[in-house]
Amino acid sequence: MGPYNWSEGRSDRLLTLPLDEELARYQLMAYLQRVEHRYNERKLYPHLDDLQARRETVLCMRRQKEELEHAMARDIIGFDLRAGGPIRSAPEDDGAVRSLEQVIDMALPRIDKALMRGTELRQEIMQRIQLEPVGLLPLRTSEGYLLLRQGSAARVYAYQLGLYDGGDMAEASRLMRTVYVSDYTISWTCTPEQVKADLVRHRSTLPNPAVFAFSTELLLPPIETFLPLAKQLVYELVAGTSR
């Protein structure tokens, strides 16, 4: 397996030795520039998930480096009576290990910065999304509909979810399955309540569904941002947890 290629968009591969530090730096910076461009378009996903996965990859690289250093043969130069173990000489200067360490030191803070930027942007956008139930909510809210509205245009998704014990809404909302249902044009003659009645009339599998309406004055990409954040917000409400 060759060196990790940041430009491939794969976070399940580990860097291996030998490393080309300049190439790794160039690829990482190019990747992060693309992520920043997506942020400027308010496209959060799958980039936030990918950044988190890449961060875990770099941390795994660090653990591998430490294990490699520990496994290197070193001379015993004394004995630590307090720790009850031998004192060994410092490991020999290994260019490959040093190269790996430099790549880790270069990559981790940049990934953390991009991850923080995306997380802050997510919070800013979520604060500008209004959520309200349409009509009375049934006792069972583990399935129903999400009505995502921007201006007069509304898109409806059916959802099903399972409960998650963790506190990360982004992680928890992945358990929510959504399926596109239909588009509506909201007006005086087609209100969210009438959309709900239409859904009940044409989809008898859910005779008394939970329907959550989301609206925002922002222009949000529906797949990359609006739907993922709507899932997080409704999961928070249904699961009874807090951000």
Side-chain angles (χ1 to χ4, degrees):
M1 182 174 65
Y4 183 88
N5 187 345
W6 297 103
S7 64
E8 289 179 352
R10 295 179 56 185
S11 57
D12 59 338
R13 299 178 60 193
L14 296 184
L15 282 158
T16 55
L17 303 177
L19 290 175
D20 185 330
E21 297 173 44
E22 289 302 316
L23 178 61
R25 182 185 300 273
Y26 171 79
Q27 290 174 341
L28 176 60
M29 297 307 295
Y31 164 72
L32 293 178
Q33 285 177 359
R34 289 196 300 273
V35 170
E36 181 63 28
H37 181 67
R38 298 298 181 267
Y39 285 167
N40 293 336
E41 297 175 333
R42 297 196 180 109
K43 293 181 179 179
L44 297 179
Y45 293 94
H47 315 297
L48 276 175
D49 292 339
D50 188 58
L51 280 166
Q52 185 61 49
R54 290 171 186 268
R55 184 178 191 276
E56 292 301 320
T57 296
V58 175
L59 292 177
C60 185
M61 289 163 45
R62 174 177 285 172
R63 290 192 295 269
Q64 285 189 329
K65 179 188 75 72
E66 292 172 351
E67 291 171 1
L68 182 61
E69 289 177 330
H70 183 73
M72 287 180 176
R74 291 181 290 165
D75 296 332
I76 297 177
I77 58 176
F79 193 85
D80 189 336
L81 296 176
R82 179 175 298 178
I87 301 173
R88 297 184 180 274
S89 61
E92 295 182 6
D93 185 15
D94 186 283
V97 174
R98 187 174 65 256
S99 176
L100 178 57
E101 183 175 5
Q102 289 174 346
V103 169
I104 293 171
D105 291 343
M106 175 273 298
L108 191 57
R110 288 171 170 79
I111 292 174
D112 283 344
K113 183 178 180 180
L115 193 57
M116 181 178 296
R117 160 96 164 97
T119 300
E120 291 173 349
L121 181 59
R122 181 183 68 184
Q123 289 302 109
E124 291 173 6
I125 294 174
M126 289 180 79
Q127 291 172 3
R128 297 176 67 176
I129 296 176
Q130 289 75 49
L131 160 63
E132 67 176 315
V134 178
L136 296 176
L137 286 179
L139 293 177
R140 182 182 180 185
T141 55
S142 59
E143 58 182 343
Y145 299 99
L146 309 178
L147 190 157
L148 277 58
R149 177 181 177 182
Q150 296 193 80
S152 61
R155 181 170 294 181
V156 175
Y157 296 87
Y159 77 85
Q160 288 183 320
L161 61 88
L163 294 181
Y164 171 74
D165 293 333
D168 185 345
M169 289 299 102
E171 177 69 29
S173 65
R174 295 192 188 100
L175 299 176
M176 182 183 293
R177 298 175 56 191
T178 55
V179 178
Y180 168 76
V181 174
S182 183
D183 285 339
Y184 290 87
T185 300
I186 302 299
S187 65
W188 291 106
T189 58
C190 183
T191 64
E193 289 74 16
Q194 290 169 318
V195 170
K196 178 177 181 178
D198 185 68
L199 291 169
V200 172
R201 185 164 54 251
H202 291 96
R203 297 175 64 88
S204 58
T205 54
L206 289 175
N208 184 29
V211 179
F212 297 96
F214 302 84
S215 61
T216 178
E217 77 280 7
L218 299 174
L219 184 60
L220 299 178
I223 302 302
E224 296 92 341
T225 303
F226 203 1
L227 180 58
L229 297 189
K231 290 168 62 176
Q232 293 173 35
L233 287 167
V234 80
Y235 191 95
E236 174 185 338
L237 180 64
V238 171
T241 57
S242 59
R243 287 197 301 278

